[in-house]
Structures are given as structure tokens and as C-alpha cells.
Amino acid sequence: MNAEDARARGIKRHDLVKVFNDRGAVICAALPTQRLPRGVCHGYESSAVYDPMGEPGKSVDRGGCLNLLTPERTQTKSTHSLAGANSLVQIEVWDRRIEHMSETFAAMEKDRHVKETLKAASLVPAK
């Protein structure tokens, strides 16, 4: 990430940072540099190993799977290729907490709770 952005966040070289958005969170080592403009970060390496530190979808990934943060949509309707390997993320010094609920799993939890409530009340959801 940009060195000035890192300094503003209290991030130093090789600090463990949490890179996250509404899709998930990944733990990475920081490498501040002046080669990137402010507001930009770059993952030089990425692991294909998804290794959540707790329950999948509800915890941070320590395997370096940065693809976890990229959109699922395709480039065009007529192809299966992914949209660019880029995304909007937030970066902060990792506080050692492993919990991180992705938006997808938060929606699933909400749906599960609604279904359980309806079942307990012997109601059926409208279609």
C-alpha cells in the first residue's frame, strides 16, 4: 500500500494487516511503498488456499486468498471470465480477532433466523 496511507493508519513494514470488505477478510503482511498512488493497494502474491481461522464465511482468512475480496460478476454476459481482479477494500492493523462476517453469510444467518422464527410460530413464508 502507499506509504503515506500506511503511516496514517499506523501500519509499518511487515505488520500483519486485515484487508477486508463486505465479501470477506484476509490477513496479509504490509509492505508500504511510494510506488503506489495514495488510495491504492496491491497484492503482489496471492495464495489459492482458503484457510479460515474459524468458521468459513464468519472468520478471517490466513491463507492469503485475495480472490475472496473480488466481485463474483463476470466481465460480460456472454462469458464466464471474472471481472477484473480488483476491489474496494479497507486495511487496518490486525487486532488478532478472527471474527469477520461476510455480507453473504450475514444474509444467510438472517434468513435462517427468519425461517426458525416462522417454524416456531408454525407459519409458512409467503412465496
Side-chain angles (χ1 to χ4, degrees):
M1 68 185 299
N2 176 275
E4 292 174 45
D5 291 339
R7 203 170 11 265
R9 289 174 169 82
I11 297 170
K12 297 179 289 304
R13 182 181 175 93
H14 298 150
D15 277 352
L16 291 180
V17 294
K18 179 170 119 175
V19 182
F20 64 99
N21 60 19
D22 59 349
R23 295 177 192 96
V26 180
I27 303 304
C28 297
L31 185 60
T33 179
Q34 291 298 336
R35 289 182 273 180
L36 293 171
R38 293 210 62 182
V40 174
C41 62
H42 177 81
Y44 288 99
E45 296 178 24
S46 180
S47 170
V49 177
Y50 175 57
D51 188 15
M53 295 181 78
E55 189 175 345
K58 298 180 181 179
S59 61
V60 297
D61 168 53
R62 65 177 159 210
C65 188
L66 293 172
N67 287 340
L68 182 66
L69 307 175
T70 59
E72 293 178 17
R73 70 183 191 283
T74 60
Q75 289 177 351
T76 64
K77 291 180 182 181
S78 62
T79 183
H80 294 292
S81 60
L82 291 174
N86 56 54
S87 59
L88 294 174
V89 297
Q90 182 60 270
I91 301 173
E92 60 188 34
V93 174
W94 184 38
D95 60 6
R96 301 282 188 215
R97 289 186 299 152
I98 65 169
E99 302 83 18
H100 182 85
M101 179 75 78
S102 71
E103 185 177 279
T104 301
F105 278 87
M108 288 170 58
E109 285 288 311
K110 183 178 177 185
D111 288 345
R112 184 184 60 76
H113 178 69
V114 168
K115 287 177 184 175
E116 287 174 358
T117 302
L118 291 173
K119 184 177 179 181
S122 298
L123 299 174
V124 178
K127 297 198 183 213

